[in-house]
Amino acid sequence: MTTSSALDSFLDKWRTRWPEWSVAEPFIPEHQRNLVVAWFSLLQEFDDILNTAGDPLPADAKLAWWGEELRSWAGQRSRHPLGRLLEPVRAPWAELAQTLPDLVEARAVPVDAAHAQKALMAYAAAVAAVEAVMFDTPARDDVATPVLLQTLSQRLQEAGVAAVPRSLLAQDDGNAPQRYAAELLQPWPARVAGPRPRRMYASLARTRLQAFAAGRAPQVTPLRTLLRTWWAGRG
């Protein structure tokens, strides 16, 4: 497989997981579109490692490899196809790499919602710092929170009960995942802080979590997605 086709396969894998993005993407400047998808594809790699089931050793080894890969980007020595688009961005890659081991620790069932957030806060802040450079937006104290909520949301939807805090599981009414989803939605506004791609991506993720909290499959329509992401992406 050529470098170009390998890169396309990673971008297409993320687009397949997020088909709503095809409606939202026209609100992103054309020259940024592949960069945005490459970045979200990388974050999906980390989400998959965080939410792995079964033997964690292969996922942990992959995460260690990614740590080395990100550190190499400062010297323009990327090996992964995604580096073709991401490496030229002079972002704090090494700082992001430093937080990756937190994903391993975050697999443990949290005591409560606050514990779940604390476990991934440094990682979310590092992601937000990369996005501030990548999308040329001012650094703000509140931009890590949308990243954190979205990471926890995807973990809940992919890992299920394993992601639910013990404080909610103790109530034992069989509805703990939905109640946890409702907790995550409380501090999550319809339009979050951060660069436009993050605001739009967060809007799509929030819509999915709302459906999960209601116990139903997401009902995605192009018109609603168009209006929602246009509004979320407004400056």
Side-chain angles (χ1 to χ4, degrees), residues 3-191:
T3 301
S4 178
S5 60
L7 173 60
D8 288 342
S9 71
F10 275 97
L11 302 185
D12 290 343
K13 182 170 70 172
W14 184 83
R15 288 190 174 103
T16 298
R17 288 188 174 192
W18 291 89
E20 310 98 305
W21 191 254
S22 64
V23 178
E25 193 171 47
F27 297 123
I28 301 293
E30 188 171 0
H31 71 277
Q32 278 193 333
R33 291 175 188 173
N34 278 347
L35 175 66
V36 170
V37 175
W39 170 238
F40 291 155
S41 297
L42 176 62
L43 295 184
Q44 186 65 62
E45 290 288 303
F46 298 153
D47 283 332
D48 289 346
I49 291 170
L50 169 63
N51 302 320
T52 190
D55 182 4
L57 292 181
D60 292 350
K62 187 176 183 180
L63 190 67
W65 184 92
W66 269 116
E68 295 176 3
E69 175 72 357
L70 292 180
R71 291 182 180 93
S72 76
W73 288 2
Q76 298 182 308
R77 298 189 303 273
S78 65
R79 293 168 291 174
H80 196 277
L82 291 174
R84 179 178 170 188
L85 292 175
L86 297 174
E87 179 198 76
V89 179
R90 300 294 87 196
W93 299 117
E95 287 80 355
L96 176 58
Q98 189 173 351
T99 69
L100 293 185
D102 292 354
L103 300 180
V104 176
E105 300 299 324
R107 291 193 200 118
V109 178
V111 174
D112 53 30
H115 184 263
Q117 294 185 22
K118 183 179 180 181
L120 288 168
M121 181 55 78
Y123 167 75
V127 169
V130 170
E131 291 184 350
V133 174
M134 184 175 295
F135 304 122
D136 193 23
T137 55
R140 292 174 49 172
D141 292 338
D142 56 348
V143 295
T145 300
V147 177
L148 175 63
L149 292 173
Q150 186 166 342
T151 303
L152 290 171
S153 167
Q154 290 192 218
R155 172 155 177 71
L156 173 61
Q157 292 172 78
E158 293 177 22
V161 173
V164 178
R166 290 194 185 96
S167 59
L168 293 175
L169 291 173
Q171 298 178 31
D172 195 27
D173 63 356
N175 200 36
Q178 283 70 37
R179 285 188 284 108
Y180 185 38
E183 281 196 17
L184 291 174
L185 285 167
Q186 287 179 4
W188 191 341
R191 182 160 54 188

